[in-house]
Amino acid sequence: MLDRGILYQNQQDFKSAVECFQRAIKFRPSLAVAYLNLGISFIALGKRQQAIEILQVGATLDGTAVRDRSAHDQARSSAFLQLGALYVEQGKLQRALAVYREALSSLPTLLQQREVLYQRIGDVFGRLQQWDEAERHHRAALELQPNQVAAHLSYGITLARNSSRASEAEMWFKRALKLAPEQASVYHHYAEFLALQSRHHESAVYHRRAAELAPTDYALVVAAATSLRLLDRKAEAELWYRKAVALRPDDAHAHTNLGAILHLLGRTNHAAASYKDALRLQPGDAITLGNLAKLGVTNV
């Protein structure tokens, strides 16, 4: 049942996957990987509370009777990580910290997971604006896995919060780039850092590179377009906003953004058409109606 559930999960048939994982748990109630995958399937179906409940059970399963203790503990660790991420998503940061700390104390031998847990704890402390604790945990993650790209990024982001340590933060972003020269997220985070430093021309270069490396990532494509628009490079920005519309043709904001850049380019008829497309997807939107009014269009 477990293998069949994973097959359904890979095919994104999450309802069928849930049924298989539930049966697997019924016959083998100590199988942590079944709880983990059931939780993941619930998340995919938008059933967050059910995912939390099942992951809580899976994360705390006793593994004394299982045959493969290492695989059992790996599944438990992943359940802790999924559970913590759900709490972060819900803004329950103290609960997330408690989950990550429980994982550290109950799974002390899993080195790679400890690095991820330290990084996650550091990220949560960053959200809580407790920068010293955030830095301490990010440093701990780097000491365990000095070549881990995500740890470099998290540490750089934390340091960048302190304007007096901007040069130090930049060093960590550059180290991440050397470790992962083809990873779009690294370019994006460095671009965001450069924008905060008001180095907008450099920021645009890295935003665009991020989008080139991940041309189907809507957020990165929009970030590239926006970065170029802020530099008044409107024609280039238009190209990226069009890519965003192609990626999400049913997203009203994508059409609004395209309409706005066409408006700035003086192509009023095309701008009006994009605004009207946005209104069809999001009727009555005040901003889009206001933009149309600026074009002299009131009959929509």
Side-chain angles (χ1 to χ4, degrees):
M1 274 300 146
L2 177 65
D3 291 341
R4 186 178 296 178
I6 292 172
L7 178 63
Y8 281 130
Q9 197 173 61
N10 291 337
Q11 295 172 343
Q12 298 190 344
D13 183 353
F14 297 109
K15 289 184 179 179
S16 297
V18 163
E19 293 175 6
C20 289
F21 294 135
Q22 286 174 330
R23 288 179 191 168
I25 289 169
K26 181 178 179 180
F27 291 111
R28 296 179 64 186
S30 62
L31 191 63
V33 70
Y35 290 83
L36 168 63
N37 282 286
L38 178 55
I40 291 170
S41 292
F42 277 140
I43 293 169
L45 291 169
K47 298 181 178 182
R48 297 296 198 267
Q49 189 54 43
Q50 286 169 270
I52 285 172
E53 292 169 4
I54 206 70
L55 289 168
Q56 283 174 332
V57 176
T60 55
L61 284 173
D62 188 305
T64 53
V66 299
R67 285 172 291 183
D68 189 344
R69 184 58 184 266
S70 175
H72 178 82
D73 286 346
Q74 291 280 354
R76 285 184 59 208
S77 175
S78 296
F80 274 121
L81 289 170
Q82 291 282 348
L83 183 59
L86 283 171
Y87 283 136
V88 169
E89 180 187 291
Q90 294 177 347
K92 298 174 180 177
L93 301 181
Q94 294 298 337
R95 284 194 184 182
L97 279 177
V99 166
Y100 293 144
R101 284 169 168 161
E102 185 180 354
L104 281 173
S105 64
S106 63
L107 298 164
T109 61
L110 296 179
L111 181 64
Q112 186 176 1
Q113 279 72 12
R114 285 177 70 81
E115 174 267 318
V116 175
L117 287 163
Y118 281 132
Q119 183 188 323
R120 294 280 187 93
I121 291 171
D123 290 345
V124 174
F125 275 123
R127 287 173 176 261
L128 292 168
Q129 298 186 5
Q130 296 181 30
W131 306 121
D132 290 343
E133 283 296 309
E135 181 178 349
R136 184 168 71 84
H137 284 87
H138 285 143
R139 288 291 312 201
L142 281 165
E143 286 169 10
L144 286 172
Q145 294 285 340
N147 293 324
Q148 177 57 249
V149 174
H152 282 69
L153 290 177
S154 292
Y155 192 43
I157 291 166
T158 296
L159 292 173
R161 304 284 183 177
N162 185 338
S163 58
S164 68
R165 301 183 72 181
S167 60
E168 191 179 351
E170 184 166 11
M171 177 188 73
W172 288 99
F173 286 119
K174 287 181 174 179
R175 286 184 180 181
L177 280 171
K178 285 184 179 180
L179 288 169
E182 299 299 317
Q183 189 169 315
S185 64
V186 178
Y187 287 86
H188 175 72
H189 285 297
Y190 186 35
E192 293 289 290
F193 164 79
L194 291 168
L196 287 172
Q197 303 303 309
S198 298
R199 293 160 59 182
H200 299 296
H201 287 277
E202 293 171 87
S203 175
V205 171
Y206 286 95
H207 270 307
R208 186 171 60 187
R209 183 57 181 151
E212 288 169 349
L213 287 168
T216 60
D217 189 315
Y218 176 80
L220 297 189
V221 168
V222 170
T226 303
S227 187
L228 290 163
R229 177 179 58 79
L230 291 173
L231 289 176
D232 204 32
R233 290 160 62 175
K234 294 188 283 288
E236 294 172 81
E238 180 198 347
L239 293 175
W240 287 102
Y241 281 129
R242 286 195 180 280
K243 291 178 188 290
V245 168
L247 288 172
R248 290 192 183 176
D250 295 327
D251 189 320
H253 294 294
H255 291 280
T256 299
N257 286 333
L258 178 57
I261 199 69
L262 292 169
H263 193 161
L264 290 172
L265 283 163
R267 290 154 60 186
T268 54
N269 289 338
H270 292 92
S274 287
Y275 288 145
K276 288 176 181 178
D277 286 336
L279 276 180
R280 277 195 291 273
L281 295 164
Q282 193 172 331
D285 179 68
I287 293 175
T288 307
L289 287 169
N291 288 338
L292 277 167
K294 290 174 186 177
L295 292 174
V297 179
T298 54
N299 245 352
V300 289

